Amino acid sequence: MAAHSAGIMLHRMTASGLEVFLGHMGGPFWARKQEHAWSIPKGEAEPGERDLDVALREFAEEVGSPAPQIDYLELGTFRYSSGKTLTVFAGDAANFEIEIDDVRSNTFELEWPPRSGRMQLFPEFDTASWVSVARARSLLVAGQVLAVDALLRL
């Protein structure tokens, strides 16, 4: 059975238009990439966990700050080409501000360089930012672009 994740897509309206909050994926594979190297805060669900609980937990772990206490609306469940599914919750977070230096993501361990025998820790997100929905389309990993479309239909 394919893995299932849940995440949060914060959004806000600014003078220049609708923005969403995204994180740049950490680690050596993504280090020099921008296009399709960003994600909403999300993570894998354990059996029996409610999707919104997963999304809130993962936001705190990947951003280093609790998700804002606002109403969340389920945008839908989206399927990646790998078969993995992602349920996305949207929340209007006009007052959510975090300084880039305050992003404190949890880490993962990876052998780096490959076949070196040396394990290193990398953050899941190395930065996060508010971006326009137009820019989000090119930054987001392909499987999450449909969530932007769903947000625009609200």
Side-chain angles (χ1 to χ4, degrees), residues 75-121:
L75 284 179
T77 298
F78 307 93
R79 184 173 304 278
Y80 287 82
S81 59
S82 66
K84 180 179 179 176
T85 56
L86 170 66
T87 299
V88 177
F89 295 89
D92 185 346
N95 296 322
F96 179 76
E97 290 294 337
I98 186 168
E99 296 295 323
I100 299 305
D101 293 340
D102 292 338
V103 174
R104 301 273 183 250
S105 182
N106 55 343
T107 58
F108 65 94
E109 191 172 44
L110 177 71
E111 181 181 11
W112 192 257
R115 296 175 294 287
S116 67
R118 193 170 127 208
M119 301 302 285
Q120 292 189 52
L121 291 176

Coordinates of all heavy atoms in Angstrom, one line a residue, residues 75-121:
L75 N -8.5 20.8 1.3 CA -8.5 21.1 -0.1 C -8.7 19.9 -0.9 O -9.3 19.9 -2.0 CB -7.2 21.7 -0.5 CG -6.9 23.2 -0.2 CD1 -5.5 23.6 -0.7 CD2 -8.0 24.1 -0.8
G76 N -8.3 18.7 -0.4 CA -8.4 17.5 -1.2 C -7.3 16.6 -1.0 O -6.3 16.9 -0.2
T77 N -7.3 15.4 -1.6 CA -6.2 14.4 -1.5 C -5.7 14.3 -2.9 O -6.5 14.1 -3.9 CB -6.7 13.1 -1.0 OG1 -7.2 13.3 0.3 CG2 -5.6 12.0 -1.0
F78 N -4.4 14.4 -3.1 CA -3.7 14.5 -4.4 C -2.8 13.3 -4.4 O -2.1 12.9 -3.5 CB -3.0 15.8 -4.5 CG -3.9 17.0 -4.3 CD1 -4.0 17.5 -3.0 CD2 -4.7 17.4 -5.3 CE1 -4.9 18.6 -2.8 CE2 -5.6 18.5 -5.1 CZ -5.7 19.1 -3.8
R79 N -2.7 12.7 -5.6 CA -1.8 11.5 -5.8 C -0.6 11.9 -6.6 O -0.6 12.6 -7.6 CB -2.6 10.5 -6.6 CG -1.9 9.1 -6.8 CD -2.7 8.1 -7.4 NE -3.9 7.8 -6.7 CZ -4.0 7.1 -5.6 NH1 -3.0 6.4 -5.2 NH2 -5.2 6.9 -5.0
Y80 N 0.6 11.5 -6.0 CA 1.9 11.7 -6.7 C 2.0 10.6 -7.8 O 1.3 9.5 -7.7 CB 3.0 11.5 -5.7 CG 3.2 12.6 -4.7 CD1 2.5 12.7 -3.6 CD2 4.2 13.6 -5.0 CE1 2.7 13.8 -2.7 CE2 4.4 14.6 -4.1 CZ 3.7 14.7 -2.9 OH 3.9 15.7 -2.0
S81 N 2.9 10.8 -8.7 CA 3.2 9.8 -9.7 C 3.6 8.4 -9.1 O 3.4 7.4 -9.7 CB 4.2 10.3 -10.8 OG 5.4 10.6 -10.2
S82 N 4.2 8.5 -7.9 CA 4.7 7.3 -7.3 C 3.6 6.5 -6.6 O 3.8 5.4 -6.2 CB 5.7 7.7 -6.1 OG 4.9 8.4 -5.1
G83 N 2.4 7.1 -6.6 CA 1.2 6.4 -6.0 C 1.0 6.9 -4.6 O -0.1 6.7 -4.0
K84 N 1.9 7.6 -4.0 CA 1.7 8.2 -2.6 C 0.6 9.2 -2.7 O 0.5 9.9 -3.7 CB 3.0 8.8 -2.2 CG 3.0 9.5 -0.8 CD 4.3 10.1 -0.5 CE 4.3 10.8 0.9 NZ 5.6 11.3 1.3
T85 N -0.2 9.4 -1.6 CA -1.2 10.4 -1.6 C -0.9 11.4 -0.5 O -0.2 11.2 0.5 CB -2.6 9.7 -1.3 OG1 -2.5 9.0 -0.1 CG2 -3.0 8.8 -2.4
L86 N -1.4 12.6 -0.8 CA -1.2 13.8 0.1 C -2.5 14.5 0.3 O -3.1 15.0 -0.6 CB -0.2 14.7 -0.5 CG 0.0 16.1 0.2 CD1 0.6 15.9 1.6 CD2 0.9 17.0 -0.6
T87 N -3.0 14.6 1.6 CA -4.2 15.4 1.9 C -3.7 16.7 2.3 O -2.8 16.8 3.2 CB -5.0 14.7 3.0 OG1 -5.5 13.4 2.5 CG2 -6.2 15.6 3.3
V88 N -4.2 17.8 1.7 CA -3.8 19.2 2.0 C -4.9 20.0 2.6 O -6.0 19.9 2.2 CB -3.3 19.9 0.7 CG1 -2.9 21.3 0.9 CG2 -2.2 19.1 0.0
F89 N -4.5 20.7 3.7 CA -5.4 21.6 4.4 C -5.0 23.0 4.2 O -3.8 23.3 4.2 CB -5.4 21.3 5.9 CG -6.0 19.9 6.2 CD1 -5.1 18.8 6.3 CD2 -7.3 19.7 6.5 CE1 -5.6 17.5 6.6 CE2 -7.8 18.5 6.8 CZ -7.0 17.4 6.8
A90 N -5.9 23.9 3.9 CA -5.6 25.3 3.6 C -6.1 26.1 4.8 O -7.1 25.8 5.4 CB -6.3 25.7 2.3
G91 N -5.3 27.2 5.1 CA -5.7 28.1 6.1 C -5.3 29.5 5.8 O -4.1 29.7 5.3
D92 N -6.2 30.4 6.0 CA -5.9 31.8 5.7 C -5.1 32.4 6.9 O -5.6 32.5 8.0 CB -7.2 32.6 5.5 CG -6.9 34.1 5.1 OD1 -5.8 34.6 5.2 OD2 -7.9 34.7 4.7
A93 N -3.8 32.7 6.7 CA -2.9 33.0 7.7 C -2.3 34.4 7.5 O -1.1 34.5 7.5 CB -1.8 32.0 7.9
A94 N -3.1 35.4 7.3 CA -2.7 36.7 7.0 C -1.7 37.3 8.0 O -0.8 38.1 7.7 CB -3.9 37.7 6.9
N95 N -1.8 36.8 9.3 CA -1.0 37.4 10.4 C 0.2 36.5 10.7 O 0.9 36.8 11.7 CB -1.8 37.7 11.6 CG -2.8 38.7 11.3 OD1 -2.6 39.7 10.6 ND2 -4.0 38.6 11.9
F96 N 0.4 35.4 10.0 CA 1.5 34.5 10.3 C 2.8 35.0 9.7 O 2.9 35.2 8.5 CB 1.3 33.1 9.8 CG 2.4 32.1 10.0 CD1 2.5 31.6 11.3 CD2 3.3 31.7 9.0 CE1 3.6 30.7 11.6 CE2 4.3 30.8 9.3 CZ 4.4 30.3 10.6
E97 N 3.7 35.3 10.5 CA 5.1 35.8 10.1 C 6.1 35.0 10.8 O 6.0 34.7 12.0 CB 5.2 37.3 10.4 CG 4.4 38.2 9.6 CD 4.7 38.3 8.2 OE1 5.9 37.9 7.8 OE2 3.9 38.6 7.4
I98 N 7.1 34.6 10.1 CA 8.3 34.0 10.7 C 9.5 34.5 9.9 O 9.5 34.6 8.7 CB 8.1 32.4 10.6 CG1 9.3 31.7 11.4 CG2 8.1 31.9 9.2 CD1 9.1 30.3 11.6
E99 N 10.5 34.8 10.7 CA 11.8 35.2 10.1 C 12.5 34.0 9.5 O 12.4 32.9 10.1 CB 12.7 35.9 11.1 CG 12.1 37.2 11.7 CD 12.0 38.3 10.6 OE1 12.8 38.4 9.7 OE2 10.9 39.0 10.7
I100 N 13.1 34.1 8.4 CA 13.8 33.0 7.8 C 14.8 32.4 8.7 O 14.9 31.2 8.8 CB 14.5 33.5 6.5 CG1 13.5 34.0 5.5 CG2 15.4 32.4 5.9 CD1 12.4 33.1 5.1
D101 N 15.5 33.2 9.5 CA 16.5 32.7 10.5 C 15.8 31.9 11.6 O 16.5 31.1 12.3 CB 17.3 33.8 11.1 CG 18.2 34.5 10.1 OD1 18.5 33.8 9.1 OD2 18.6 35.6 10.3
D102 N 14.5 32.0 11.8 CA 13.7 31.3 12.8 C 13.2 29.9 12.3 O 12.7 29.2 13.2 CB 12.5 32.1 13.3 CG 13.0 33.4 14.1 OD1 14.1 33.4 14.6 OD2 12.2 34.3 14.1
V103 N 13.4 29.6 11.1 CA 13.0 28.3 10.6 C 13.9 27.3 11.2 O 15.1 27.3 10.9 CB 12.9 28.2 9.0 CG1 12.7 26.8 8.6 CG2 11.9 29.2 8.5
R104 N 13.4 26.4 12.0 CA 14.2 25.3 12.6 C 13.6 24.0 12.4 O 12.8 23.5 13.2 CB 14.3 25.6 14.2 CG 14.8 26.9 14.5 CD 16.4 26.8 14.7 NE 16.9 28.1 15.1 CZ 17.6 29.0 14.3 NH1 17.8 28.6 13.1 NH2 18.0 30.1 14.8
S105 N 14.0 23.4 11.3 CA 13.4 22.1 10.9 C 14.0 20.9 11.6 O 15.2 21.0 12.0 CB 13.6 22.0 9.3 OG 13.0 20.8 8.9
N106 N 13.2 19.9 11.7 CA 13.8 18.6 12.2 C 14.8 18.1 11.1 O 14.8 18.7 10.0 CB 12.7 17.6 12.5 CG 11.8 17.3 11.3 OD1 11.7 18.1 10.4 ND2 11.1 16.2 11.4
T107 N 15.6 17.1 11.4 CA 16.6 16.7 10.5 C 16.4 15.2 10.1 O 15.7 14.5 10.7 CB 18.0 16.8 11.2 OG1 18.0 16.1 12.4 CG2 18.3 18.3 11.4
F108 N 17.1 14.8 9.0 CA 17.2 13.4 8.6 C 18.7 13.1 8.4 O 19.5 14.0 8.2 CB 16.4 13.2 7.4 CG 16.8 13.9 6.1 CD1 17.7 13.3 5.2 CD2 16.4 15.2 5.9 CE1 18.2 13.9 4.1 CE2 16.8 15.9 4.7 CZ 17.7 15.2 3.8
E109 N 19.0 11.8 8.5 CA 20.4 11.4 8.4 C 20.6 10.7 7.0 O 19.7 10.0 6.6 CB 20.7 10.4 9.5 CG 22.2 10.1 9.6 CD 22.5 9.3 10.8 OE1 21.8 8.3 11.1 OE2 23.5 9.6 11.5
L110 N 21.7 11.1 6.4 CA 22.0 10.6 5.1 C 23.5 10.3 4.9 O 24.3 11.1 5.4 CB 21.5 11.6 4.0 CG 21.8 11.4 2.6 CD1 20.9 10.3 2.1 CD2 21.5 12.6 1.8
E111 N 23.8 9.2 4.3 CA 25.2 9.0 4.0 C 25.7 10.0 2.9 O 25.1 10.0 1.8 CB 25.5 7.6 3.5 CG 26.9 7.3 3.2 CD 27.2 5.9 2.6 OE1 26.2 5.2 2.3 OE2 28.4 5.5 2.6
W112 N 26.6 10.9 3.3 CA 27.1 11.9 2.3 C 28.5 12.2 2.5 O 28.9 12.5 3.7 CB 26.2 13.2 2.5 CG 26.5 14.1 1.3 CD1 27.2 15.2 1.4 CD2 26.0 14.0 0.0 NE1 27.3 15.8 0.2 CE2 26.5 15.1 -0.7 CE3 25.2 13.1 -0.7 CZ2 26.3 15.3 -2.1 CZ3 25.0 13.3 -2.0 CH2 25.5 14.4 -2.7
P113 N 29.3 12.2 1.5 CA 29.0 11.9 0.1 C 28.7 10.4 0.0 O 29.0 9.6 0.9 CB 30.3 12.2 -0.6 CG 31.2 12.9 0.3 CD 30.7 12.7 1.7
P114 N 28.0 10.1 -1.1 CA 27.6 8.7 -1.3 C 28.8 7.7 -1.2 O 29.9 8.0 -1.6 CB 27.0 8.6 -2.7 CG 26.6 10.1 -3.0 CD 27.6 10.9 -2.2
R115 N 28.5 6.6 -0.6 CA 29.5 5.5 -0.4 C 30.7 5.9 0.4 O 31.8 5.3 0.3 CB 29.9 4.9 -1.8 CG 28.7 4.2 -2.5 CD 29.1 3.7 -3.9 NE 29.4 4.8 -4.8 CZ 28.5 5.6 -5.4 NH1 27.2 5.5 -5.1 NH2 28.9 6.5 -6.3
S116 N 30.6 7.0 1.2 CA 31.8 7.5 2.0 C 31.8 6.8 3.3 O 32.8 6.9 4.0 CB 31.7 9.0 2.1 OG 30.5 9.3 2.9
G117 N 30.6 6.2 3.7 CA 30.5 5.7 5.1 C 30.3 6.8 6.1 O 30.2 6.5 7.3
R118 N 30.2 8.0 5.7 CA 30.0 9.1 6.6 C 28.6 9.6 6.6 O 28.0 10.0 5.6 CB 30.9 10.3 6.2 CG 31.1 11.4 7.2 CD 32.1 12.4 6.8 NE 31.5 13.7 6.9 CZ 31.9 14.7 6.2 NH1 32.8 14.6 5.3 NH2 31.3 15.9 6.3
M119 N 28.0 9.6 7.8 CA 26.6 10.0 7.9 C 26.5 11.4 8.4 O 27.3 11.8 9.2 CB 25.8 9.1 9.0 CG 25.8 7.6 8.6 SD 25.1 7.2 7.0 CE 23.3 7.5 7.4
Q120 N 25.6 12.2 7.7 CA 25.5 13.6 8.1 C 24.0 13.9 8.3 O 23.1 13.2 7.7 CB 26.0 14.5 6.9 CG 27.5 14.4 6.8 CD 27.9 15.5 5.8 OE1 27.6 16.7 5.9 NE2 28.7 15.1 4.8
L121 N 23.7 14.9 9.1 CA 22.4 15.4 9.4 C 22.1 16.5 8.5 O 22.9 17.4 8.3 CB 22.2 15.8 10.8 CG 22.2 14.7 11.9 CD1 22.1 15.3 13.3 CD2 21.1 13.7 11.6

